Amino acid sequence: MGWTDSLPAGSAEQVSALLDRATEFDGKAPVSEQGRHAVAGRGAARHFLEVDGDAVVGYAQLQAGSGEHPDMAELVVAPQARRRGIGTRLAAAVFDEGRSGTRVWAHGNIDAAAEFAKSLDLVSVRELLQLRRPLDAPQLPEIVVPEGMTMRTYRGPEDDSEILRVNNAAFSWHPEQGGWTQSEIDERTAEGWFDPAGLFMAFADTDPDTLLGFHWTKVHAPEGDDPELGEVYVVGIDPAAQGRGLGRVLTLAGMHYLRDRGLGTVLLYVEGDNTAALHTYERLGFDRFHVDMAYARVR
């Protein structure tokens, strides 16, 4: 099957089942949350299937980049069908279809993925770190809201426009997080994990309608060997409000909330070259847990 902009219902079900099997086999999900949404038809992406008879044994997804951001791809081969050249064909299809500079994610960067990238002469071009921290010890620092600022939680859709404004200003450089529209907000607030009490927002007392920053938390259901986990899902600070310590305060507010919900561990994702953010999170007690690596062809 060639590239398609949408998957028929039957194919989407097979791909979802394939992703579940690969996750169980590898201990790491082969595609991101955004990728899962696209399989279900909730998000724009192109899809490529490798079939054996009636069974889907390989899948590739291509997310178009915007502006200078490269196209991003994810691919997976059924555990029982590996080492038959399927992955090589999927990678070739991705690089033939994508723009120059297209990148392929290796989630967890497991040994098999690193070896596969090496066999195709691909080089690592982006590192996304997952950090984790227990919520019971060391003890969380207290939340100290800066003078002249107020923090509250999400009230509803009337807050969406300010969240979008700050998110897109804070992440204008980011290929996935930047450029959100209302649909990204709607998708996430419709998810079963969404809790308005876990979305923290900071304002100046002198301007209570203009958002300075926010921290959106998330709770992951138990999966594999992982119990229920909290996540520092998105921390966005308006560039005009940088340097006031809001990132730390909002992060701590979310961590206290997750701890008080009875969760034992919190995770977050951060770019490997974001030195300032890494320093902040390490000071809060986070340690590296695993690495997602993006690979590209040598130009």
Side-chain angles (χ1 to χ4, degrees):
M1 171 178 180
W3 288 98
T4 180
D5 291 331
S6 61
L7 291 170
S11 297
E13 291 174 2
Q14 285 202 57
V15 170
S16 292
L18 167 58
L19 298 178
D20 291 339
R21 293 196 303 274
T23 299
E24 182 176 2
F25 184 85
D26 295 322
K28 306 291 181 185
V31 305
S32 62
E33 175 190 53
Q34 185 178 9
R36 279 276 194 174
H37 286 171
V39 169
R42 293 181 289 137
R46 307 211 71 209
H47 312 269
F48 187 95
L49 301 181
E50 179 86 14
V51 297
D52 183 4
D54 294 329
V56 175
V57 294
Y59 170 71
Q61 182 182 122
L62 188 64
Q63 297 267 357
S66 60
E68 297 180 357
H69 298 314
D71 295 350
M72 302 297 298
E74 298 171 300
L75 56 87
V76 58
V77 177
Q80 79 278 6
R82 294 177 180 177
R83 302 198 179 277
R84 300 183 193 172
I86 295 172
T88 300
R89 291 197 292 274
L90 291 174
V94 161
F95 288 118
D96 287 345
E97 182 72 9
R99 298 181 300 169
S100 175
T102 292
R103 300 175 177 183
V104 179
W105 278 114
H107 295 289
N109 201 35
I110 58 178
D111 291 343
E115 292 171 6
F116 176 67
K118 184 178 180 180
S119 73
L120 297 179
D121 294 323
L122 304 181
V123 295
S124 60
V125 292
R126 183 180 170 196
E127 183 183 56
L128 185 65
L129 305 178
Q130 186 191 120
L131 312 183
R132 292 193 181 188
R133 183 203 197 276
L135 285 167
D136 55 352
Q139 184 174 346
L140 292 177
E142 292 302 312
I143 305 165
V144 181
V145 180
E147 186 176 353
M149 293 186 191
T150 299
M151 190 161 53
R152 64 167 174 80
T153 55
Y154 182 72
R155 297 177 305 189
E158 63 264 36
D159 286 332
D160 290 355
S161 62
E162 277 297 287
I163 291 174
L164 285 172
R165 180 187 64 78
V166 170
N167 180 86
N168 292 342
F171 296 103
S172 60
W173 54 274
H174 198 283
E176 290 89 32
Q177 189 67 32
W180 271 20
T181 64
Q182 186 63 43
S183 64
E184 276 77 23
I185 298 281
D186 292 342
E187 284 179 12
R188 286 154 179 79
T189 54
E191 292 282 357
W193 54 260
F194 175 67
D195 182 357
L199 203 173
F200 297 85
M201 308 175 69
F203 300 84
D205 292 343
T206 56
D207 189 2
D209 296 323
T210 301
L211 182 66
L212 300 177
F214 68 94
H215 175 192
W216 195 330
T217 66
K218 179 178 180 179
V219 176
H220 295 261
E223 183 176 357
D225 295 332
D226 278 333
E228 193 175 40
L229 295 170
E231 181 178 351
V232 177
Y233 186 50
V234 186
V235 177
I237 307 298
D238 189 327
Q242 292 284 355
R244 305 185 194 180
L246 278 175
R248 175 183 170 87
V249 172
L250 284 162
T251 299
L252 280 172
M255 292 170 67
H256 277 257
Y257 157 80
L258 294 168
R259 182 200 61 189
D260 293 345
R261 281 195 54 168
L263 299 172
T265 302
V266 61
L267 66 89
L268 60 84
Y269 291 91
V270 61
E271 300 290 336
D273 60 358
N274 191 339
T275 305
L278 281 169
H279 182 62
T280 296
Y281 293 135
E282 287 167 358
R283 288 176 60 192
L284 288 173
F286 284 89
D287 293 315
R288 299 187 184 199
F289 184 77
H290 86 222
V291 179
D292 292 341
M293 195 74 74
Y295 290 93
R297 281 177 168 169
V298 179
R299 295 190 182 184

